[in-house]
Amino acid sequence: MRTTQKSVKLYLMLFTAAVAFATNAIAAEWQPKKPVEFVIMAGPGGGADKMARLMQTVIEKHKFSPKPFIPVNKPGGSGAEALVHLKGKSGDDHTIMVTLNSFYTTPLRQPKLGVNSLDFTPIARMAEDTFLLWVHKDSGISNLKEFVAAAKAKGKDWIMAGTGKAQEDELLTNFLNSTYGLEMKYVPFKGGGRVAKELAGKHANSTVNNPSEQLGFYQSGDTVPLAAFTKDRLPMFADVPTFTELGHPYVYYMQRSVVGAPGMSADAAEFYRKVFAKVYDSDEWQEYKKKKSLLGDFITGDELEAYWTNEIANHKQLLMEIGEIK
């Protein structure tokens, strides 16, 4: 009888110790100790800015983090300002950044920055954004053939508004110029929201805005989409053909990813990955993807690094084609 009582006591002691250990382990999981700086490497009103502020709202609404995420726009130098800032936060567990494709192009174009994109901590690719060719309704242009004729007739006086130097919009402009024998003048602005306004105000002749940036002016009837730089037609723009359909295959997407500072602790990186996985699965994010014609699945870790490696190689080739790098 005594032996049995001792065994029970021993079992209870071991069980209590195991519960305490598990409780301490859970309590020890990393969480931010202060507000998280949520850097946006683009200006207000663009796709990256809208995405970041939606994610901030979702995180706060569902209490995915004990501390708030504070969006901070750093659009200078085609994203160079943001990249240098985050690099300077090496080892910081409280600074993350929303990226676009200048995450690849700016370090390639500006080696003196000393920025290596692969040094940043991979957290999550939330989507791939899409591009369409847009004109103002008052141009009278309703298809690509008419666009080419009008742009060719105007030569260097045709203004294509875009974001940043040698970023996504200029790469697409180069495709259009070289493919269709055009001489459009590319004029960069800070942020896709500003670019959309330039076209709506008829201060530019065309843009290659993301749907999220041009959507308001499209819905009001001020701007017209002519063709999509996607593999298949976008559900929201079912009547708009792709460049592949029009005889010149060209597919181009922009990452919508979140990265951490170089040298971020593994525990912090894991916390942010879990947070953004929850954001991705939220009804709000899935609805946003649908409404803004965003594509692509959630990827993280090694898969995201491999994606970056491939995209860096692709963008190196694209930049060489327009003479930005050798």
Side-chain angles (χ1 to χ4, degrees):
M1 185 70 177
R2 290 179 181 175
T3 302
T4 302
Q5 290 177 337
K6 288 181 178 179
S7 297
V8 171
K9 287 181 179 180
L10 178 61
Y11 173 81
L12 290 173
M13 289 174 63
L14 291 171
F15 177 78
T16 302
V19 171
F21 178 81
T23 301
N24 290 336
I26 292 172
E29 287 185 0
W30 188 91
Q31 292 186 329
K33 311 295 188 296
K34 60 182 181 179
V36 176
E37 184 181 14
F38 200 9
V39 179
I40 306 165
M41 58 185 307
D49 183 65
K50 291 178 180 179
M51 162 186 158
R53 294 180 190 278
L54 171 68
M55 293 192 295
Q56 173 209 20
T57 301
V58 173
I59 291 168
E60 184 174 341
K61 175 183 176 181
H62 295 289
K63 296 180 170 56
F64 291 155
S65 170
K67 298 294 182 180
F69 285 42
I70 311 299
V72 179
N73 294 90
K74 291 186 178 293
S78 299
E81 178 189 3
L83 289 163
V84 171
H85 175 76
L86 193 60
K87 179 188 175 185
K89 295 280 188 173
S90 182
D92 188 339
D93 288 344
H94 292 81
T95 306
I96 60 175
M97 181 173 74
V98 167
T99 69
L100 41 159
N101 287 1
S102 52
F103 181 73
Y104 318 126
T105 56
T106 296
L108 288 169
R109 288 180 50 246
Q110 302 182 51
K112 290 183 180 180
L113 293 175
V115 171
N116 182 345
S117 302
L118 297 177
D119 286 343
F120 294 103
T121 302
I123 292 175
R125 188 194 75 182
M126 301 296 289
E128 288 185 306
D129 212 338
T130 55
F131 293 83
L132 293 95
L133 172 63
W134 302 85
V135 294
H136 197 280
K137 67 172 183 179
D138 291 347
S139 69
I141 298 170
S142 61
N143 56 55
L144 184 63
K145 184 177 179 180
E146 292 173 354
F147 169 83
V148 170
K152 189 169 290 188
K154 206 163 186 178
K156 294 180 181 179
D157 291 329
W158 185 278
I159 303 299
M160 172 72 85
T163 55
K165 172 69 174 173
Q167 290 183 216
E168 305 85 7
D169 295 357
E170 187 169 5
L171 295 175
L172 295 177
T173 301
N174 178 67
F175 159 75
L176 293 170
N177 278 339
S178 61
T179 301
Y180 297 99
L182 307 177
E183 296 181 288
M184 294 183 294
K185 181 181 179 181
Y186 177 78
V187 179
F189 296 90
K190 289 185 178 180
R194 169 70 186 280
V195 172
K197 290 178 181 178
E198 290 296 314
L199 179 61
K202 295 190 277 191
H203 304 301
N205 301 105
S206 60
T207 73
V208 284
N209 271 129
N210 304 127
S212 62
E213 297 164 341
Q214 195 64 241
L215 195 57
F217 296 116
Y218 165 69
Q219 291 173 333
S220 66
D222 292 308
T223 57
V224 179
L226 301 179
F229 295 89
T230 52
K231 180 182 177 182
D232 302 305
R233 292 194 183 195
L234 294 167
M236 186 180 293
F237 305 96
D239 294 333
V240 179
T242 67
F243 279 92
T244 298
E245 290 179 67
L246 297 172
H248 291 283
Y250 196 90
V251 176
Y252 187 85
Y253 301 109
M254 179 164 62
Q255 71 161 343
R256 296 296 188 191
S257 297
V258 180
V259 308
M264 174 179 280
S265 72
D267 289 342
E270 184 60 21
F271 170 82
Y272 292 118
R273 287 178 187 127
K274 288 179 179 178
V275 165
F276 285 99
K278 291 175 184 177
V279 172
Y280 183 87
D281 289 335
S282 70
D283 291 341
E284 293 91 341
W285 181 252
Q286 291 303 316
E287 183 63 21
Y288 181 79
K289 280 189 66 182
K290 182 179 179 181
K291 284 185 176 180
K292 305 301 183 182
S293 293
L294 297 173
L295 306 175
D297 298 324
F298 179 93
I299 61 174
T300 186
D302 292 343
E303 187 177 3
L304 181 51
E305 283 201 75
Y307 172 80
W308 287 346
T309 299
N310 183 65
E311 288 299 306
I312 289 169
N314 289 341
H315 282 83
K316 184 176 182 179
Q317 181 61 39
L318 291 172
L319 289 173
M320 290 174 67
E321 289 175 4
I322 63 173
E324 277 294 321
I325 62 173
K326 295 181 180 180

